[in-house]
Amino acid sequence: MSSMAKTADDAERERPGPPGQHSFVVVASRLPVDRIENPEGEPEWRPSPGGLVTALEPVMREAEGVWIGWSGDAGPAAGPFRANGLDLVGMGLSADLVRDYYEGFCNATLWPLYHDVIAPPQFHRRWWDAYVAVNWYFAQAAMAQAAPGATVWVHDYQLQLVPRMVRSQRSDVRIGFFNHIPFPAYEIFAQLPWRRQVVEGLLGADLLGFQRRADAGNFLRACRRATGRRTRGPAVRVTDPAGTREVRAAAFPISIDSAALEEIARREDVRKRAAEIRLALDQPATLLLGIDRLDYTKGILHRLKAYGELLNEGRLGPRVVLVQVASPSRERVEAYQALRDDVELTVSRINGDHAEVGSPPVHYLHQSYPREEMAALYLSADVMLVTPLRDGMNLVAKEYVACRYHEDGALVLSEFTGAADELAGAFLVNPHDIEGLKDAIVRAATISPGEARRRMRAMRRRVREHDVAHWAATFLDALGRTPR
Ligand code: G6P
């Protein structure tokens, strides 16, 4: 990995290697598989759950593409190899790069900055250097896999410099970029010491996709303010050594494979498991559910506060239970450690105040589950609580809707998610407004079957028609129509 010390400008002076074999190349932070050890102690790859993976897997299989990504652990590169029916290239990151690039620049600089500085972003030049180096390393891998004229689809905030790096050496390929998280207002983005480089990095693409129109608008404004470029509608004019191009920035709201998830929810074993969950909880009158990565953007503490107050006030009636799944995430990043402490303290307080022997009001699960168990949880819940302070899309909201084939249940959904633009049948809330959040939870918990059906039916139609295949097809179609 001698290329790790290179800067973005060095990258552009390098000569490209021979072109690769794949006409479709996905470049993402994560591989769609996890490395595990089998009982014999040998490494094996198992499909990993997660939004991006769920979103792209069907498209990859259809297009016979290659997926370039990282396993999530420090260690050597792996591949190219085949696993779970996909061609994969595993990128290797040293422990120092995991610290400076992944935990540092990605998750302690960009993540909080792009989520409206809910936690204070940290700016360190050493982290930026690691970000440039890792982006260059991914760009090289993409170029090594891409056949002449290939389509390269780069994903998310971890790889914003890759489009320009690839374009600087491979003007033959079409480059798409999709940002899975919000793109912040310029007044916030402007804090980034490397804002111009990031905008230039993204402008290497032919098409830039964002979750919401507001995100695309924020990006276009960043182009004007950080680089002085003129924009016309969704288009930015860019002049580089290969000539003048127009880069488009537009909204392509991501979704889920709703039919596949519904099929899981309809399985007999999954329905049985849902009934078991309710039984294990002593058949609650109302089961509230939260499922999130344990992340400060998800509004878990606001949700717990509202729930605790509702219990104090006795407004939810007897035998109400909250199941909160908080899957472990980014556990070496300080803000995540502090959040875990706060969540666990709050859960303990609520349980301490309200539990009876054998029946705590909060069931807190700091674990990750396979899709079947998630589907059973969605099926078992009367009310789904999705209360992020900021979220690019939030696929959990869509997953809940996809599983509710009986057209019952209710969704409490934060206005500050991309999903709120689409799921008009939800009870929309501002999670900072605790009184408003409490009222919405009570309304959702006491909804009439008729109103629940009307709301759920509308949301299900949306999620069925605008599924992940629709998202990918719309993006790739728009990318294919960008001028050459
Ligand atoms: C979000 C991001 C993804 C990221 C995922 C899990 O959904 O948009 O790019 O992969 O979180 O985070 P992690 O840090 O574990 O990759």
Side-chain angles (χ1 to χ4, degrees), residues 330-468:
R330 306 174 188 168
E331 290 188 283
R332 283 167 26 142
V333 179
E334 218 177 288
Y336 289 75
Q337 294 166 356
L339 173 75
R340 182 174 176 190
D341 289 347
D342 289 347
V343 166
E344 294 181 355
L345 183 74
T346 309
V347 167
S348 303
R349 284 215 173 121
I350 296 174
N351 281 340
D353 287 346
H354 297 280
E356 285 172 24
V357 172
S359 59
V362 186
H363 288 250
Y364 166 73
L365 304 155
H366 184 240
Q367 291 163 57
S368 301
Y369 293 101
R371 297 193 65 68
E372 286 74 12
E373 182 71 2
M374 301 275 274
L377 283 164
Y378 289 134
L379 269 186
S380 70
D382 302 300
V383 177
M384 185 79 213
L385 302 178
V386 179
T387 60
L389 308 179
R390 176 57 80 199
D391 207 334
M393 175 51 64
N394 196 288
L395 295 177
V396 162
K398 293 187 173 181
E399 287 178 357
Y400 177 68
V401 167
C403 286
R404 303 302 300 196
Y405 62 90
H406 290 303
E407 298 182 336
D408 58 358
L411 174 64
V412 173
L413 179 63
S414 163
E415 290 165 19
F416 306 122
T417 62
D421 284 3
E422 296 181 71
L423 301 180
F427 291 91
L428 293 182
V429 291
N430 168 3
H432 296 283
D433 170 12
I434 300 296
E435 288 305 324
L437 180 51
K438 283 157 62 181
D439 290 346
I441 295 174
V442 171
R443 284 180 64 203
T446 55
I447 193 171
S448 72
E451 191 188 348
R453 191 172 315 113
R454 189 178 55 73
R455 285 172 177 263
M456 190 54 80
R457 204 174 265 171
M459 292 194 287
R460 285 177 56 75
R461 193 178 315 120
R462 173 77 200 186
V463 170
R464 201 167 43 235
E465 286 168 7
H466 292 78
D467 66 357
V468 69

Side-chain angles (χ1 to χ4, degrees), residues 24-68:
F24 184 59
V25 181
V26 170
V27 192
S29 165
R30 294 299 196 122
L31 283 172
V33 290
D34 287 326
R35 197 186 351 225
I36 51 158
E37 283 210 346
N38 68 16
E40 288 77 50
E42 289 148 8
E44 254 182 32
W45 297 95
R46 196 175 40 203
S48 59
L52 178 54
V53 176
T54 321
L56 280 180
E57 207 178 3
V59 192
M60 278 289 297
R61 285 184 203 283
E62 206 165 293
E64 287 184 26
V66 64
W67 183 310
I68 297 168

Side-chain angles (χ1 to χ4, degrees), residues 29-30 102 107 111 156-158 180-181 293 329-330:
S29 165
R30 294 299 196 122
Y102 172 70
N107 291 321
W111 182 268
D156 228 356
Y157 64 102
Q158 302 94 342
H180 292 251
I181 69 172
R293 268 187 317 100
S329 185
R330 306 174 188 168

